[in-house]
């Protein structure tokens, strides 16, 4: 079994470390590959490669860089099925969901085709006698992305696209759980005409992360993962003078008003809560119906739909969702379900009862796969761990509220502030909700309010650390620095030395 290697200077690279980690197929629980884990010296070598390549890439005008990205997009589409299948087999999300993972990354690459416009500076003439002032947007140099297992195509492309379009070199440290797709994306960038060394991929754990954070060459770090690690990286970047864009955990709420279409709302909740086995930072994991009648109607609609969901192999076209990424992830989800029961919540649908002992797909046994059935709690209260913690699994919790004000208080008071949704037919209520809610991304009758690529993505409170968000115009601001030039060409009217603060007049 050939190990998955790093990708440096346009080719596979083993590095000096012989440490490895198994890459599992979550549907079967079996090892399908192993990935090399870099040492600090390996990471330093990867960064040095990027530093050497970056000036030549930055010297190309933005339009030429965009032509490479345009071809990169074409090649990603050409290889979409291969990328999606690899992603499915290493992560566990279904094939169609994996294609969506890739496409949402491509959406940001398409926005990056506007880089020549995004990178334009400003010019003011005649700000003083014979004086002009103008600004330049210049790349930072070498930047890094540390990306999560749950979106091994989308998040790397969200980071790499704007960074590369801006003229930076990009070092990617993807999750070691599903590392093949990030490597393939780097290969396709080179095939599209990108220079060697401009997009490097290095695998590893905490040692690799710390090597990136300690590097004097890396000027910015983009991270997506858990809140404790986001805080750790944000703090370390502040200590070493790096820009940081760190996104952490979430506990996304859906508020349902009495006038909402209950059937349509229940359909939206089931897809948003259980899609990708709940392993999305934008998964709706808490629903807050307003009024007991609304709650009772919604409970019955969900109770009718949830047991019919099919859980299966990630490549099974009939599966609604696949396995969790590891056995540890499954154990954690089921531990939290048990805590919810012990705390007195009403477990309407118990996903722990899912029996895959005799399940097969194309001759492969699924008995050892990391499957968890869909679980649904009612009468959850804010002091329960199933409410306070990000479960990151197929679990939906219902918290009942008597008024809209009470319902709004739940997401507003929660430590996380990533996404929220409201289901209603009242335009005024929805408009007021969008203003009053203390959460970064808001959906109005939209269950997963991920902004389109030309707007920015980012959570508030413990869900996001840093001043600028992912993709959209913020990404170009994050990956560039602004230089302001004030110029005057000499003439014969010198008045001699000036010792007061200059004033333009």
């Amino acid at each position: 079994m050939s190990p998955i290697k790093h990708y440096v200077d346009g080719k596979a690279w083993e590095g000096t470390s012989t440490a490895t980690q198994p890459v599992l197929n979550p549907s079967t629980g079996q090892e399908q590959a192993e990935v090399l884990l870099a040492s600090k010296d390996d990471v330093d070598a990867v960064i040095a490669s990027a530093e050497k390549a970056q000036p030549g890439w930055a010297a190309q005008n933005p339009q030429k860089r965009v032509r490479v990205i345009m071809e990169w997009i074409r090649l990603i589409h050409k290889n979409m099925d291969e990328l999606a299948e690899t992603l499915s087999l290493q992560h566990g999300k279904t094939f169609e969901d994996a294609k969506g993972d890739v496409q949402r990354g491509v959406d940001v690459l398409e926005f990056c085709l506007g880089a020549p416009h995004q990178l334009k500076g400003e010019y003011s003439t005649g700000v003083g006698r014979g004086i002009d002032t103008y600004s330049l947007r210049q790349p930072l140099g070498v930047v890094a992305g540390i990306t999560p297992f749950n979106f091994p195509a989308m998040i790397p492309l969200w980071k790499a696209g704007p960074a590369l379009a801006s003229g930076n070199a990009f070092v990617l440290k993807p999750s070691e759980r599903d590392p093949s797709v990030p490597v393939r994306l780097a290969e396709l960038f080179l095939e599209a005409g990108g220079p060697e060394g401009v997009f490097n991929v290095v695998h590893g754990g905490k040692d690799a992360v710390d090597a990136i954070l300690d590097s004097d060459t890396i000027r910015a770090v983009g991270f997506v993962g858990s809140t404790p690690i986001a805080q750790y990286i944000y703090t370390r970047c502040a200590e070493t003078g790096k820009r940081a864009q760190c996104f952490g955990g979430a506990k996304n709420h859906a508020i349902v008003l009495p006038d909402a279409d209950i059937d349509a709302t229940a359909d939206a909740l089931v897809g948003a809560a259980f899609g990708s086995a709940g392993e999305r930072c934008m998964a709706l994991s808490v629903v807050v119906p307003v009024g007991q009648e609304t709650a009772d109607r919604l409970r019955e609609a969900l109770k009718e739909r949830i047991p019919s969901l099919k859980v299966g192999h990630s490549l099974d076209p009939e599966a609604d969702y696949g396995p969790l990424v590891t056995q540890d992830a499954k154990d954690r989800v089921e531990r939290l379900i048990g805590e919810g029961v012990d705390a007195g919540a009403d477990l309407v649908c118990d996903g722990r009862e899912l029996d895959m002992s005799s399940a097969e797909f194309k001759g492969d046994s699924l008995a050892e796969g990391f499957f968890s059935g869909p679980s649904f709690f009612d009468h959850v209260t804010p002091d329960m761990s199933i409410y306070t913690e990000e479960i990151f699994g197929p679990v939906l919790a219902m918290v009942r509220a008597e008024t809209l004000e009470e319902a709004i208080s739940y997401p507003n008071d929660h430590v996380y502030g990533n996404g929220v949704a409201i289901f209603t037919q009242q335009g005024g209520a929805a408009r007021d909700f969008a203003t009053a809610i203390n959460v970064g991304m808001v959906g109005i009758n939209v269950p997963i309010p991920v902004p389109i690529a030309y707007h920015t993505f980012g959570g508030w409170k413990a869900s996001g650390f840093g001043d600028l968000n992912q993709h959209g115009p913020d990404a170009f601001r994050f990956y560039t620095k602004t230089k302001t030039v004030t110029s005057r060409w000499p003439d014969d009217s010198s008045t001699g030395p000036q010792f007061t603060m200059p004033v333009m007049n």
Side-chain angles (χ1 to χ4, degrees):
M1 186 182 298
S2 178
I4 299 167
K5 301 175 183 178
H6 316 291
Y7 189 78
V8 186
D9 278 335
K11 57 184 177 296
W13 183 65
E14 293 187 359
T16 60
S17 171
T18 58
T20 62
Q21 177 172 313
V23 177
L24 305 178
N25 181 335
S27 293
T28 64
Q30 302 304 306
E31 181 176 343
Q32 57 180 315
E34 60 180 8
V35 59
L36 292 169
L37 303 180
S39 66
K40 179 184 183 304
D41 290 343
D42 291 336
V43 176
D44 290 343
V46 174
I47 294 171
S49 163
E51 184 180 27
K52 181 179 179 181
Q54 189 270 334
W57 177 243
Q60 295 189 25
N61 72 53
Q63 195 166 352
K64 289 185 177 180
R65 295 197 297 265
V66 159
R67 288 172 185 155
V68 173
I69 293 175
M70 190 180 301
E71 177 64 7
W72 194 18
I73 292 169
R74 188 189 71 81
L75 290 172
I76 291 173
H77 279 297
K78 179 181 177 181
N79 293 274
M80 177 67 78
D81 286 355
E82 171 208 337
L83 291 166
E85 181 172 338
T86 301
L87 197 160
S88 289
L89 291 173
Q90 291 188 359
H91 171 272
K93 65 178 64 177
T94 64
F95 178 75
E96 290 300 322
D97 194 23
K99 288 205 294 187
D101 186 330
V102 179
Q103 182 58 52
R104 289 307 295 242
V106 169
D107 289 350
V108 170
L109 294 186
E110 290 172 341
F111 175 76
C112 292
L113 298 180
H117 176 74
Q118 294 293 329
L119 298 173
K120 285 193 305 185
E122 298 173 316
Y123 198 103
S124 296
T125 186
V127 299
R129 286 195 297 269
I131 298 176
D132 302 325
T133 299
Y134 58 95
S135 62
L136 311 172
R137 300 198 73 87
Q138 296 182 314
L140 300 178
V142 182
V143 299
I146 301 169
T147 58
F149 75 87
N150 62 322
F151 284 99
M154 183 181 79
I155 301 297
L157 290 175
W158 282 10
K159 304 296 186 185
L164 293 167
S166 299
N168 300 284
F170 186 72
V171 174
L172 173 62
K173 207 300 287 181
S175 171
E176 57 276 20
R177 295 175 184 172
D178 43 14
S180 291
V181 167
V183 170
R184 186 69 181 120
L185 292 172
E187 291 173 347
L188 292 176
F189 175 77
L190 185 79
E191 186 178 338
E196 296 177 358
V198 167
F199 184 1
N200 292 334
V201 181
V202 60
H203 308 292
K206 185 176 184 300
D207 290 344
V209 170
D210 286 342
I212 289 171
L213 300 180
D214 291 338
S215 169
D216 293 331
T217 302
I218 298 292
R219 303 312 311 152
V221 176
F223 170 82
V224 177
S226 70
T227 287
I229 305 303
Q231 289 178 307
Y232 171 76
I233 291 175
Y234 185 68
T235 301
R236 289 286 296 274
C237 286
E239 292 171 348
T240 55
K242 296 176 176 60
R243 289 189 180 181
Q245 182 189 66
C246 300
F247 296 94
K251 197 71 176 181
N252 306 313
H253 295 63
I255 292 173
V256 182
L257 297 190
D259 69 310
D261 183 325
I262 292 297
D263 286 332
T265 299
D267 288 339
L269 289 171
V270 168
F274 302 113
S276 197
E279 291 180 323
R280 296 171 176 160
C281 68
M282 292 297 289
L284 279 181
S285 54
V286 179
V287 58
V288 187
V290 176
Q292 296 304 314
E293 181 183 354
T294 307
D296 290 342
R297 291 168 58 213
L298 185 60
R299 171 185 169 129
E300 290 307 309
L302 290 169
K303 185 178 177 181
E304 177 184 335
R305 287 163 172 76
I306 291 172
S308 65
L309 294 179
K310 179 176 180 181
V311 183
H313 192 286
S314 61
L315 296 182
D316 184 349
E318 296 182 359
D320 293 304
Y321 70 86
L324 294 161
V325 69
T326 62
Q327 182 65 45
D328 285 345
K330 177 183 176 181
D331 291 344
R332 181 177 183 276
V333 168
E334 296 188 350
R335 171 180 62 80
L336 284 164
I337 292 172
E339 290 180 5
V341 172
D342 293 343
D346 178 11
L347 183 55
V348 181
C349 302
D350 188 350
R352 298 172 300 178
E353 296 174 351
L354 179 69
D355 182 7
M356 302 293 285
S357 60
S358 59
E360 292 186 356
F361 179 73
K362 293 186 176 180
D364 289 336
S365 171
L366 308 186
E368 301 300 321
F370 313 130
F371 297 97
S372 183
S375 294
F376 170 45
F377 281 98
D378 192 4
H379 299 290
V380 173
T381 57
D383 58 322
M384 297 177 180
S385 62
I386 54 171
Y387 178 80
T388 59
E389 293 192 34
E390 182 182 32
I391 300 176
F392 223 58
V395 181
L396 177 63
M398 180 184 287
V399 179
R400 297 181 176 224
E402 292 298 331
T403 64
L404 177 58
E405 291 71 23
E406 180 189 355
I408 289 176
S409 73
Y410 292 122
N412 273 359
D413 294 344
H414 204 284
V415 64
Y416 295 122
N418 204 46
V420 68
I422 187 170
F423 292 88
T424 180
Q425 298 181 55
Q426 300 178 48
R431 188 174 186 273
D432 292 344
F433 173 82
T435 301
I437 203 71
N438 188 25
V439 175
M441 291 172 284
V442 180
I444 297 173
N445 299 315
V446 175
I448 303 180
V450 178
I452 53 179
Y454 37 96
H455 286 262
T456 62
F457 178 108
W460 291 5
K461 297 182 282 187
S463 294
F465 304 86
D467 295 331
L468 295 169
N469 288 336
Q470 301 179 95
H471 65 66
D474 271 11
F476 283 94
R477 298 185 187 104
F478 180 75
Y479 288 117
T480 60
K481 52 193 173 186
T482 302
K483 179 182 291 180
T484 305
V485 180
T486 303
S487 69
R488 178 177 64 188
W489 295 102
D491 53 29
D492 296 330
S493 58
S494 174
T495 58
Q498 294 184 3
F499 299 99
T500 59
M501 188 68 183
V503 177
M504 301 300 180
N505 52 37

